[in-house]
Amino acid sequence: MKVDIDIDEKTEEVITNFILNTFENKNLTEFFKEIIKDSLDRLAYPSIKNEVRNIYTEKAEEEAINIFSENLEKLLLQPPLSKKTLMGLDPGYRTGCKMVIINKDGFYETNDVLFLVDGVHNERQLATAKKKILDYIAKYDVDIIAIGNGTASRETEAFVADVIKDSKKKVSYLIANEAGASIYSASKLAIEEFPDLDVTARGAISIARRIQDPMAELVKIDPKSIGVGMYQHDVNQKKLNETLEQTIEHVVNNVGVNINTASWALLSFVSGIKKNVAKNLVDYRHENGDFKDRKQLKKVKGLGDKAFEQMAGFVVVPDSENPFDNTIIHPESYHIAEIILKDAGCKVEDLKEDLDVVRQKLQKIDLEKIIKENDFGRETAKDVYEALLKDRRDPRDEFEKPLLRSDILNMDDLTEGMVLEGTVRNVAKFGAFVDIGLKNDALIHISEIAEKFVSDATKELSVGQIIKVKILSLDKERGRVGLTRKGL
């Protein structure tokens, strides 16, 4: 950014005369004028330029960091495709496409290498790859194929789209953003998780599992490496890291964590849990089996009363004998829940045996009376009551699920005016990049986002959002597509 000051002669004369009034010796006026001009040109103006530039640079940095933070939050809040068996494909030309199977519970099953790029691999290799994919789909009951968007991704997509037509089971696919997968695959965490696998297999696992549960997988990667920010290397790194870490903590605590399935990387972002304690939690789980209830957390090395108090409400134990352990109700408020249930003529164990009947009885109680009689905090008691009435809510359920495809799209299929659905991959002040199924994401400029005037694209669109768009322009030679939302 360049800053310049353009002052006309009249204004400069006013400034000079203003300064001259401070000098008493009028015999040296011309000499003073030369001093003033030299001071302005050599000292004052450059200083003002630097100060103005610093102000705007700081403002631009803050804006870039905020956009990065907002995009990261929306990416982490993408709804998981839980209880789906996935085939993860990390495409490649010479070395082939690395394939892994991740079962519906998120566990790794097997891996293979497929040579499936038409024009690079021979007919025998292509036929073998097709047979293997169909066999793996049948054997592991694959629901979705996740294809990394790196080198050879569109060739892999074309092959997969053709193969799944011959599958006896209905299978969909999607193109996954593989940014950061290679960084994860070589990390200490990946080696700890999969010590017997090579980096290519670990990368394919990351691609598949970030579709199955984006938040749980993406927290393992440096957020600067997952492709949702701009100019991240040009801004204040300390401030950027602090902001992104706060964003991840906010999302993780808002969603909640299953203590028996979470990695130490995910647990380390839960309020009150430091990295060493997060590792201790996972180690304890490996040595003693799944946690039976929240109270058992206190047995973990390094997890004191204060840490337990901070983190208990953000972690759940789904299979605990105490049904409160699978709610957002904090252990300190269990007695409130028990009294509310007692007033409804129910016991804690009834929540497991006949939840619907319990909730019907709860709707008939006088909560205000209970609050007054027991001197409970009104807001705390209301939160406990709501938690008893409703299932634990995952805020990610409010967002649109990823767009699944069953056939490929290329530039020749497009015409101006065609209406499509696409997924927003990145948002900046000037517009958004949308995946409509082509090799490269298409741009929707800020001027085409809405019929009304839009000053900031980030206020209208968010990462992961599925939107309807219309083809505004096509440049087939350069492979560029312009989009609009006007008229839809």
Side-chain angles (χ1 to χ4, degrees):
M1 181 171 66
K2 184 179 179 182
V3 176
D4 206 353
I5 298 176
D6 186 15
I7 299 179
D8 58 71
E9 290 182 9
K10 188 175 180 181
T11 303
E12 193 165 271
E13 188 178 340
V14 170
I15 295 170
T16 303
N17 289 333
F18 176 78
I19 298 172
L20 275 174
N21 289 332
T22 62
F23 296 101
E24 294 180 2
N25 192 340
K26 303 303 178 183
N27 296 325
L28 299 174
T29 297
E30 292 305 316
F31 176 64
F32 288 148
K33 280 185 178 181
E34 288 182 18
I35 293 175
I36 293 168
K37 182 170 176 35
D38 176 67
S39 299
L40 290 173
D41 291 342
R42 188 169 53 84
L43 302 173
Y45 292 159
S47 177
I48 293 170
K49 287 179 187 180
N50 289 336
E51 190 172 339
V52 170
R53 188 183 190 284
N54 289 339
I55 290 170
Y56 277 98
T57 299
E58 191 175 318
K59 187 177 179 182
E61 278 193 2
E62 188 176 338
E63 193 71 39
I65 290 172
N66 287 339
I67 290 174
F68 199 156
S69 174
E70 288 172 12
N71 286 349
L72 176 62
E73 180 176 349
K74 295 299 187 296
L75 183 66
L76 294 175
L77 283 172
Q78 285 187 95
L81 292 176
S82 53
K83 297 303 177 183
K84 301 286 185 185
T85 299
L86 274 85
M87 176 184 290
L89 297 179
D90 188 0
Y93 287 118
R94 184 180 57 82
T95 56
C97 172
K98 199 68 179 180
M99 184 231 59
V100 296
I101 300 292
I102 301 296
N103 69 23
K104 61 185 178 62
D105 296 315
F107 295 111
Y108 160 80
E109 292 284 356
T110 188
N111 75 86
D112 204 340
V113 178
L114 308 173
F115 297 94
L116 46 67
V117 179
D118 191 15
V120 176
H121 304 126
N122 61 48
E123 290 297 325
R124 184 177 60 81
Q125 289 173 315
L126 296 175
T128 300
K130 179 176 180 178
K131 183 179 183 305
K132 282 186 174 182
I133 289 176
L134 292 173
D135 287 347
Y136 282 124
I137 289 173
K139 181 178 179 180
Y140 293 100
D141 197 25
V142 173
D143 298 296
I144 300 168
I145 300 175
I147 305 169
N149 66 344
T151 304
S153 67
R154 292 306 168 180
E155 292 87 346
T156 303
E157 179 190 8
F159 186 84
V160 167
D162 185 59
V163 168
I164 60 176
K165 292 175 183 176
D166 296 330
S167 173
K168 292 179 181 178
K169 181 190 176 183
K170 185 180 178 183
V171 180
S172 302
Y173 75 85
L174 52 74
I175 303 296
N177 185 353
E178 65 175 41
S182 59
I183 292 174
Y184 161 78
S185 67
S187 68
K188 288 183 179 179
L189 177 58
I191 295 169
E192 287 175 12
E193 285 192 285
F194 307 103
D196 299 326
L197 299 180
D198 63 18
V199 290
T200 56
R202 295 187 205 122
I205 289 171
S206 178
I207 290 169
R209 294 206 304 195
R210 65 179 58 186
I211 299 301
Q212 202 171 48
D213 191 342
M215 184 186 77
E217 195 62 26
L218 291 173
V219 296
K220 301 174 185 177
I221 304 166
D222 181 349
K224 295 195 291 294
S225 301
I226 57 179
V228 291
M230 299 187 75
Y231 316 115
Q232 61 255 41
H233 301 297
D234 300 322
V235 300
N236 185 307
Q237 293 301 296
K238 184 181 177 183
K239 189 174 181 181
L240 176 64
N241 290 334
E242 287 175 353
T243 302
L244 297 182
E245 190 164 312
Q246 288 169 5
T247 300
I248 297 172
E249 286 180 3
H250 168 72
V251 173
V252 170
N253 290 312
N254 193 26
V255 171
V257 172
N258 182 340
I259 193 68
N260 286 327
T261 60
S263 66
W264 69 261
L266 181 59
L267 287 170
S268 67
F269 287 104
V270 174
S271 180
I273 301 180
K274 296 180 180 178
K275 282 186 179 179
N276 64 316
V277 177
K279 291 179 179 179
N280 291 344
L281 282 162
V282 174
D283 290 342
Y284 184 94
R285 195 172 70 204
H286 287 163
E287 292 169 10
N288 302 280
D290 287 352
F291 287 94
K292 302 296 187 293
D293 52 41
R294 279 174 172 164
K295 286 188 289 186
Q296 193 180 356
L297 296 171
K298 292 184 176 181
K299 296 181 179 180
V300 175
K301 182 183 177 183
L303 205 159
D305 291 339
K306 191 169 183 62
F308 177 79
E309 183 183 326
Q310 285 182 285
M311 58 88 77
F314 301 117
V315 298
V316 295
V317 188
D319 298 321
S320 171
E321 289 186 9
N322 186 342
F324 295 158
D325 287 345
N326 192 31
T327 70
I328 61 168
I329 301 172
H330 195 281
E332 291 182 344
S333 301
Y334 282 2
H335 68 288
I336 298 176
E338 289 169 0
I339 290 173
I340 291 174
L341 285 172
K342 185 179 179 181
D343 192 84
C346 302
K347 299 177 182 177
V348 175
E349 50 266 28
D350 293 340
L351 290 169
K352 280 192 166 187
E353 294 170 6
D354 204 338
L355 184 59
D356 291 335
V357 172
V358 172
R359 286 176 173 172
Q360 287 173 12
K361 291 181 178 180
L362 283 170
Q363 289 175 346
K364 297 175 183 177
I365 68 170
D366 186 346
L367 183 62
E368 287 298 325
K369 181 185 173 188
I370 296 172
I371 291 172
K372 287 179 182 177
E373 287 180 351
N374 295 277
D375 196 26
F376 291 150
R378 178 169 274 96
E379 293 306 316
T380 301
K382 283 183 178 179
D383 288 342
V384 171
Y385 179 63
E386 288 296 322
L388 291 171
L389 279 178
K390 299 176 183 177
D391 292 330
R392 186 168 62 87
R393 183 182 66 86
D394 189 333
R396 296 175 295 178
D397 292 340
E398 298 175 3
F399 293 84
E400 295 168 294
K401 290 194 178 292
L403 197 60
L404 301 177
R405 305 184 187 278
S406 58
D407 207 353
I408 192 168
L409 186 72
N410 57 55
M411 288 289 286
D412 294 331
D413 298 323
L414 303 179
T415 57
E416 290 185 10
M418 181 184 286
V419 177
L420 301 163
E421 273 194 322
T423 305
V424 177
R425 292 299 182 199
N426 203 354
V427 188
K429 294 275 284 186
F430 59 81
F433 296 95
V434 183
D435 177 8
I436 58 172
L438 296 173
K439 182 174 182 179
N440 298 316
D441 294 338
L443 172 67
I444 178 166
H445 189 264
I446 188 171
S447 61
E448 298 295 336
I449 287 176
E451 302 286 354
K452 64 180 182 181
F453 172 73
V454 176
S455 61
D456 185 350
T458 63
K459 305 301 181 190
E460 298 289 324
L461 299 174
S462 58
V463 171
Q465 185 179 348
I466 295 171
I467 58 174
K468 276 191 175 181
V469 292
K470 185 164 65 177
I471 305 297
L472 180 67
S473 61
L474 287 169
D475 185 344
K476 294 186 178 181
E477 286 186 10
R478 294 194 292 176
R480 292 183 179 178
V481 179
L483 304 175
T484 183
R485 294 181 76 195
K486 290 181 177 179
L488 296 177

